[in-house]
Coordinates of all heavy atoms in Angstrom, one line a residue:
I540 N -10.8 -3.1 5.0 CA -9.6 -2.7 5.8 C -9.5 -3.1 7.2 O -8.5 -3.2 7.8 CB -9.3 -1.2 5.6 CG1 -10.7 -0.4 6.2 CG2 -9.1 -0.7 4.2 CD1 -10.5 1.2 6.3
A541 N -10.7 -3.5 7.8 CA -10.7 -4.1 9.1 C -10.6 -5.6 9.0 O -11.0 -6.3 8.0 CB -12.1 -3.6 9.8
S542 N -10.2 -6.1 10.1 CA -10.1 -7.7 10.1 C -11.2 -8.2 11.0 O -11.5 -7.7 12.1 CB -8.7 -8.1 10.8 OG -8.8 -9.5 10.9
G543 N -11.8 -9.3 10.4 CA -12.9 -10.1 11.2 C -12.3 -10.8 12.4 O -13.2 -11.2 13.3
R544 N -11.1 -10.9 12.5 CA -10.4 -11.5 13.7 C -10.7 -10.7 15.0 O -10.8 -11.2 16.1 CB -9.0 -11.9 13.5 CG -8.5 -13.0 12.6 CD -7.1 -13.2 12.4 NE -6.9 -14.2 11.6 CZ -6.7 -14.0 10.3 NH1 -6.5 -12.8 9.8 NH2 -6.4 -15.0 9.4
S545 N -10.6 -9.4 14.7 CA -10.7 -8.4 15.9 C -11.9 -7.5 15.9 O -12.2 -6.7 16.8 CB -9.5 -7.6 16.0 OG -9.3 -6.9 14.8
A546 N -12.6 -7.6 14.7 CA -13.8 -6.6 14.7 C -15.1 -7.3 14.3 O -15.1 -8.3 13.6 CB -13.5 -5.5 13.7
D547 N -16.2 -6.9 14.7 CA -17.5 -7.3 14.3 C -17.9 -6.3 13.2 O -18.4 -5.2 13.5 CB -18.6 -7.3 15.4 CG -19.9 -7.8 15.0 OD1 -20.3 -7.7 13.7 OD2 -20.8 -8.2 15.7
K548 N -17.7 -6.7 11.9 CA -17.8 -5.7 10.8 C -19.3 -5.3 10.6 O -19.6 -4.2 10.2 CB -17.2 -6.3 9.5 CG -15.7 -6.5 9.6 CD -15.1 -6.9 8.2 CE -13.7 -7.4 8.4 NZ -13.3 -7.8 7.0
F549 N -20.1 -6.4 10.8 CA -21.6 -6.0 10.7 C -22.0 -5.0 11.6 O -22.6 -3.9 11.1 CB -22.4 -7.3 10.8 CG -22.6 -8.1 9.7 CD1 -21.8 -9.3 9.4 CD2 -23.5 -7.9 8.7 CE1 -21.8 -10.2 8.3 CE2 -23.7 -8.7 7.6 CZ -22.9 -9.9 7.4
A550 N -21.6 -5.1 12.9 CA -22.1 -4.1 13.9 C -21.4 -2.8 13.7 O -22.1 -1.8 13.8 CB -21.7 -4.6 15.3
A551 N -20.2 -2.8 13.4 CA -19.4 -1.5 13.2 C -19.9 -0.7 12.0 O -20.0 0.5 12.1 CB -17.9 -1.7 13.0
A552 N -20.4 -1.4 11.0 CA -20.8 -0.8 9.8 C -22.3 -0.6 9.8 O -23.0 -0.1 8.8 CB -20.5 -1.5 8.5
C553 N -23.0 -0.9 10.9 CA -24.5 -0.9 11.0 C -25.2 -1.6 9.9 O -26.2 -1.2 9.4 CB -24.9 0.7 11.0 SG -24.2 1.6 12.4
L554 N -24.7 -2.8 9.8 CA -25.3 -3.8 8.8 C -25.9 -4.9 9.5 O -25.5 -5.3 10.6 CB -24.3 -4.3 7.8 CG -23.7 -3.1 6.9 CD1 -22.5 -3.8 6.0 CD2 -24.6 -2.5 6.1
T555 N -27.0 -5.5 8.9 CA -27.7 -6.7 9.6 C -27.4 -7.9 8.9 O -27.6 -8.1 7.6 CB -29.2 -6.4 9.4 OG1 -29.5 -5.1 9.9 CG2 -30.0 -7.5 10.2
P556 N -26.8 -9.0 9.6 CA -26.5 -10.3 9.0 C -27.8 -11.0 8.9 O -28.6 -11.0 10.0 CB -25.5 -10.9 10.0 CG -25.7 -10.3 11.3 CD -26.2 -8.9 11.0
V557 N -28.1 -11.7 7.9 CA -29.3 -12.6 7.7 C -28.6 -13.9 7.5 O -28.0 -14.1 6.6 CB -30.2 -12.1 6.5 CG1 -31.3 -13.1 6.3 CG2 -30.7 -10.7 6.8
K558 N -29.1 -15.0 8.1 CA -28.7 -16.4 7.9 C -29.3 -16.9 6.7 O -30.7 -17.0 6.6 CB -29.0 -17.2 9.2 CG -28.5 -18.7 9.0 CD -28.8 -19.5 10.2 CE -28.5 -20.9 10.2 NZ -27.4 -21.4 9.1
S559 N -28.6 -17.3 5.7 CA -29.1 -17.9 4.5 C -29.7 -19.2 4.8 O -29.3 -20.0 5.7 CB -28.0 -18.2 3.5 OG -28.4 -19.0 2.5
D560 N -30.9 -19.5 4.3 CA -31.5 -20.8 4.5 C -31.0 -21.9 3.4 O -31.5 -22.9 3.5 CB -33.1 -20.7 4.5 CG -33.7 -20.1 3.3 OD1 -32.8 -19.5 2.4 OD2 -34.9 -20.0 3.1
L561 N -30.2 -21.5 2.5 CA -29.7 -22.3 1.4 C -28.2 -22.7 1.6 O -27.9 -23.7 1.1 CB -29.9 -21.6 0.1 CG -31.4 -21.3 -0.2 CD1 -31.6 -20.5 -1.5 CD2 -32.3 -22.6 -0.3
V562 N -27.4 -21.8 2.2 CA -26.0 -22.1 2.3 C -25.6 -21.7 3.7 O -26.3 -20.9 4.3 CB -25.1 -21.4 1.2 CG1 -25.5 -21.8 -0.2 CG2 -25.3 -19.9 1.4
D563 N -24.5 -22.1 4.1 CA -24.0 -21.9 5.5 C -23.2 -20.6 5.5 O -21.9 -20.7 5.8 CB -23.2 -23.1 6.0 CG -22.9 -23.0 7.5 OD1 -23.5 -22.2 8.2 OD2 -22.1 -23.8 8.0
A564 N -23.8 -19.5 5.3 CA -23.2 -18.2 5.3 C -24.2 -17.1 5.4 O -25.5 -17.2 5.1 CB -22.4 -18.0 3.9
P565 N -23.9 -16.0 5.9 CA -24.9 -14.8 6.1 C -24.8 -14.0 4.9 O -23.8 -13.9 4.1 CB -24.2 -14.1 7.4 CG -22.7 -14.3 7.1 CD -22.5 -15.7 6.6
Y566 N -25.8 -13.2 4.8 CA -25.8 -12.0 3.8 C -26.3 -10.8 4.5 O -26.7 -10.8 5.5 CB -26.7 -12.5 2.5 CG -28.2 -12.7 2.8 CD1 -29.0 -11.6 2.8 CD2 -28.8 -13.9 2.9 CE1 -30.4 -11.8 2.9 CE2 -30.1 -14.1 3.1 CZ -30.9 -13.1 3.1 OH -32.2 -13.2 3.2
V567 N -26.0 -9.7 3.7 CA -26.4 -8.4 4.2 C -27.8 -7.9 3.9 O -28.1 -7.8 2.7 CB -25.4 -7.3 3.7 CG1 -25.6 -6.0 4.3 CG2 -24.0 -7.7 3.9
A568 N -28.6 -7.7 4.8 CA -30.1 -7.3 4.7 C -30.1 -6.0 3.9 O -31.0 -5.8 3.1 CB -30.7 -7.3 6.1
E569 N -29.4 -5.1 4.2 CA -29.4 -3.8 3.6 C -28.9 -3.7 2.1 O -29.4 -2.7 1.4 CB -28.6 -2.7 4.4 CG -29.2 -2.5 5.7 CD -28.7 -3.6 6.8 OE1 -28.1 -4.5 6.4 OE2 -29.3 -3.4 8.0
F570 N -28.3 -4.6 1.7 CA -27.7 -4.5 0.3 C -28.7 -5.1 -0.7 O -29.6 -5.9 -0.4 CB -26.5 -5.3 0.1 CG -25.3 -4.7 0.8 CD1 -25.3 -3.6 1.5 CD2 -24.0 -5.3 0.5 CE1 -24.2 -3.1 2.2 CE2 -23.0 -4.8 1.3 CZ -23.0 -3.6 1.9
P571 N -28.9 -4.4 -1.9 CA -30.0 -4.7 -2.8 C -29.9 -6.0 -3.6 O -30.9 -6.5 -4.0 CB -29.9 -3.5 -3.9 CG -28.5 -3.0 -3.8 CD -28.1 -3.2 -2.4
L572 N -28.7 -6.6 -3.7 CA -28.5 -7.7 -4.4 C -27.5 -8.7 -3.7 O -26.5 -8.2 -3.3 CB -27.9 -7.4 -5.8 CG -28.0 -8.4 -6.8 CD1 -29.3 -8.9 -7.1 CD2 -27.2 -7.9 -8.1
V573 N -27.9 -10.1 -3.6 CA -27.2 -11.0 -2.8 C -27.1 -12.3 -3.7 O -28.1 -12.7 -4.2 CB -27.9 -11.3 -1.5 CG1 -27.2 -12.5 -0.8 CG2 -27.9 -10.1 -0.6
I574 N -26.0 -12.9 -3.7 CA -25.8 -14.2 -4.4 C -25.3 -15.2 -3.4 O -24.3 -15.0 -2.7 CB -24.7 -14.0 -5.6 CG1 -25.1 -12.9 -6.5 CG2 -24.5 -15.3 -6.3 CD1 -24.0 -12.5 -7.4
E575 N -26.1 -16.2 -3.3 CA -25.8 -17.3 -2.3 C -25.0 -18.5 -3.1 O -25.5 -18.9 -4.1 CB -27.0 -17.9 -1.6 CG -27.7 -16.8 -0.8 CD -29.1 -17.1 -0.4 OE1 -30.0 -17.3 -1.3 OE2 -29.3 -17.3 0.8
C576 N -23.9 -18.8 -2.5 CA -23.0 -19.9 -3.2 C -22.6 -20.9 -2.4 O -22.3 -20.8 -1.2 CB -21.8 -19.0 -3.7 SG -22.1 -17.7 -4.8
R577 N -22.6 -22.1 -3.0 CA -21.9 -23.3 -2.4 C -20.6 -23.5 -3.0 O -20.5 -23.3 -4.3 CB -22.8 -24.5 -2.8 CG -22.4 -25.8 -2.3 CD -23.2 -27.0 -2.7 NE -24.6 -26.8 -2.3 CZ -25.6 -26.6 -3.3 NH1 -25.4 -26.7 -4.6 NH2 -26.9 -26.4 -3.0

Side-chain angles (χ1 to χ4, degrees):
I540 58 179
S542 173
R544 287 184 182 92
S545 57
D547 181 339
K548 295 183 193 181
F549 275 97
C553 300
L554 299 173
T555 309
V557 176
K558 181 173 176 25
S559 167
D560 54 353
L561 300 174
V562 299
D563 192 13
Y566 63 85
V567 180
E569 291 82 3
F570 288 6
L572 194 58
V573 174
I574 303 168
E575 295 167 295
C576 300
R577 179 181 310 111

